């Protein structure tokens, strides 16, 4: 097993993608009136670091390992979002009140016992 280069793993790639998308998010916050000059300084700093990382990595490292890591990161993010949506759906279904006859849709002992 070989050690990887710093910044090329899942965490580094997540940082780069997040930092490159941060100006879009901050622009949205600015339009809503929820941004500040300090926030823009931090976004600018992170964006610049990400651009330098992309420039250095793109000139030194072959793109195949980076593509594999990107695919792995996309898989992890999609799986996490699917789990979040699945849990939200399960919690929503559990929170709905049950009506009489909801289990078997006809009057029977299981539903009539709940009425008494």
């Amino acid at each position: 097993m070989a050690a990887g280069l710093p910044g090329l793993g899942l965490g580094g790639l997540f940082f780069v993608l997040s930092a490159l998308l941060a100006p879009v998010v901050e622009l949205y916050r600015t339009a809503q009136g929820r941004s500040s000059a300090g926030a823009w300084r931090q976004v600018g700093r992170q964006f610049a670091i990400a651009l330098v990382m992309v420039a250095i990595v793109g000139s030194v490292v072959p793109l195949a390992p980076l593509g594999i890591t990107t695919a792995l990161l996309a898989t992890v993010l999609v799986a996490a979002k699917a789990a979040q949506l699945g849990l939200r759906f399960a919690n929503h279904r559990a929170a709905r009140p049950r009506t009489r006859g909801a289990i078997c849709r006809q009057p029977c002992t299981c539903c009539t016992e709940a009425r008494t």
Side-chain angles (χ1 to χ4, degrees):
M1 183 169 145
L5 294 173
L8 293 181
L10 290 177
L13 189 59
F14 183 78
F15 166 76
V16 168
L17 292 176
S18 298
L20 292 177
L21 291 175
V24 176
V25 174
E26 201 59 36
L27 189 62
Y28 178 73
R29 289 181 182 159
T30 300
Q32 290 184 331
R34 299 186 303 141
S35 185
S36 65
W40 273 107
R41 276 192 301 276
Q42 185 176 6
V43 166
R45 189 177 318 118
Q46 300 296 327
F47 186 78
I49 291 170
L51 284 180
V52 170
M53 287 175 71
V54 168
I56 291 173
V57 168
S59 65
V60 175
V61 177
L63 295 179
L66 197 58
I68 293 169
T69 304
T70 303
L72 180 60
L73 177 62
T75 302
V76 168
L77 291 175
V78 167
K81 190 63 175 178
Q84 178 190 24
L85 292 174
L87 288 173
R88 183 181 298 167
F89 180 72
N91 288 339
H92 177 72
R93 285 186 53 88
R96 284 192 307 180
R98 292 202 178 262
T99 59
R100 291 187 193 131
I103 298 170
C104 57
R105 303 275 184 224
Q106 58 184 344
C108 61
T109 57
C110 65
C111 297
T112 55
E113 288 175 1
R115 292 182 195 163
T116 58

